Amino acid sequence: MSSYEDLRIVDNFYQTSLFFPMPTVVISTLCEDGSTTLGPYSLVQPYYVAGKDFYAMLLCCRNSSNTAQNILKNGKCALNFVDDRPSTFKECVKLSWPGDRPADKMPKCDFRLEKSLIEETTGEKRPMVLSDAIQAIECTWVRELDGADKDLPGCLDGYEGPYHDFNGITSKFGAHFILRIDRILMKKKYRDAIINGVKAGDFPPLPVDYGYRDSKNFWFHRKRRLHAELLPVRKQSLESVRYAADRADDTVKFTDEALMMILNVPRVFLSTVLRGCISWAKENGVTLVTAEHMKIINDKRSKEKKK
């Protein structure tokens, strides 16, 4: 006999039919007059994470919201990840009322704003970012995907079909935006932790949001000290790595000592690592990759990561 009970699936099921942990993100967009407006969101997640020409996030929102209408107009936004102080979450809730105009809500907003780093370096007009955020992702909507480049702002009472499958106007009242990541901004303390190696105490105080649940409150959880669980060590055999390396390229080969240095690479990532080594070898006129070459390649990766 099942240990579960069935629960009816209704609109906004992630809030009404589930306890679903989500991020709390304040999205900044550009209004027609060039000013920045803010809106809090939780339906934000990574979309393209590898193997594409660019990286992307996915935003799901009401198509009549200020955020959606501004993205439809100019395609620019910034995803600002705020801290978990109750005063910060209170400010997010204050900005979340549907239908509030930017001219009405922004003068009452207590979040501090600063110029986009992209705008500072290129002069391109961008939404401002939150000075109070821990990290921010500056994005551009990839409007050409799914034929969404024909979607226009202006329909505040709902859009008529046909609708797109995954980008642009996807239902009468809904929209999905695939957002190319232009730049990731992070406060120095947390950037240094990522570059130098993260410990439990280095994780930022990001809240977990459980959404609008009881017709009265928004609920969120503050960050607690993280628990680290060691990954299992699963070394591949030299023979299995040799098998993959010998078939990766016709001209570039590897010594046993070189392959010993990538025995810990998970099988799913092995071909990617080998391709990177082969690319370096061809750029440097190397046909037999040795352990010394692998050290150079690893040093190069470390320097690129720090950049």
Side-chain angles (χ1 to χ4, degrees), residues 115-134:
K115 187 178 290 188
S116 150
L117 195 56
I118 293 178
E119 183 171 343
E120 278 194 347
T121 54
T122 69
E124 176 192 7
K125 184 63 178 176
R126 307 283 299 212
M128 301 183 80
V129 297
L130 265 65
S131 301
D132 303 295
I134 289 169

Side-chain angles (χ1 to χ4, degrees), residues 131 133-135 185-196 202:
S131 301
I134 289 169
Q135 59 188 10
L185 313 178
M186 189 173 295
K187 293 299 172 63
K188 184 178 187 304
K189 173 183 176 181
Y190 302 109
R191 179 188 179 277
D192 290 347
I194 287 179
I195 296 299
N196 299 322
D202 293 327

Side-chain angles (χ1 to χ4, degrees), residues 124-243:
E124 176 192 7
K125 184 63 178 176
R126 307 283 299 212
M128 301 183 80
V129 297
L130 265 65
S131 301
D132 303 295
I134 289 169
Q135 59 188 10
I137 309 175
E138 297 197 76
C139 300
T140 300
W141 177 36
V142 191
R143 61 173 70 240
E144 61 270 18
L145 290 177
D146 204 16
D149 54 323
K150 297 180 179 60
D151 290 349
L152 300 174
C155 298
L156 302 183
D157 297 321
Y159 283 78
E160 299 302 323
Y163 302 113
H164 303 298
D165 292 324
F166 60 89
N167 191 37
I169 305 300
T170 49
S171 68
K172 186 175 180 65
F173 301 110
H176 290 73
F177 295 105
I178 297 176
L179 304 170
R180 186 187 70 228
I181 297 175
D182 298 322
R183 191 169 296 190
I184 294 177
L185 313 178
M186 189 173 295
K187 293 299 172 63
K188 184 178 187 304
K189 173 183 176 181
Y190 302 109
R191 179 188 179 277
D192 290 347
I194 287 179
I195 296 299
N196 299 322
V198 180
K199 300 182 291 294
D202 293 327
F203 282 83
L206 297 173
V208 174
D209 171 18
Y210 284 91
Y212 186 67
R213 183 162 298 280
D214 59 5
S215 76
K216 182 181 178 182
N217 298 303
F218 278 95
W219 295 85
F220 78 104
H221 193 287
R222 301 188 71 183
K223 174 237 178 185
R224 304 173 81 172
R225 186 174 178 86
L226 275 73
H227 170 73
E229 186 66 35
L230 286 174
L231 290 168
V233 177
R234 296 183 181 178
K235 283 190 176 183
Q236 302 182 79
S237 68
L238 179 60
E239 291 76 16
S240 65
V241 177
R242 165 65 64 197
Y243 182 87

Side-chain angles (χ1 to χ4, degrees), residues 3 19 50 72 109 111 143 153 172 224 227 268 275 300:
S3 61
F19 292 98
L72 288 168
C109 176
F111 284 134
R143 61 173 70 240
K172 186 175 180 65
R224 304 173 81 172
H227 170 73
V268 68
R275 284 198 301 270
K300 179 175 179 286

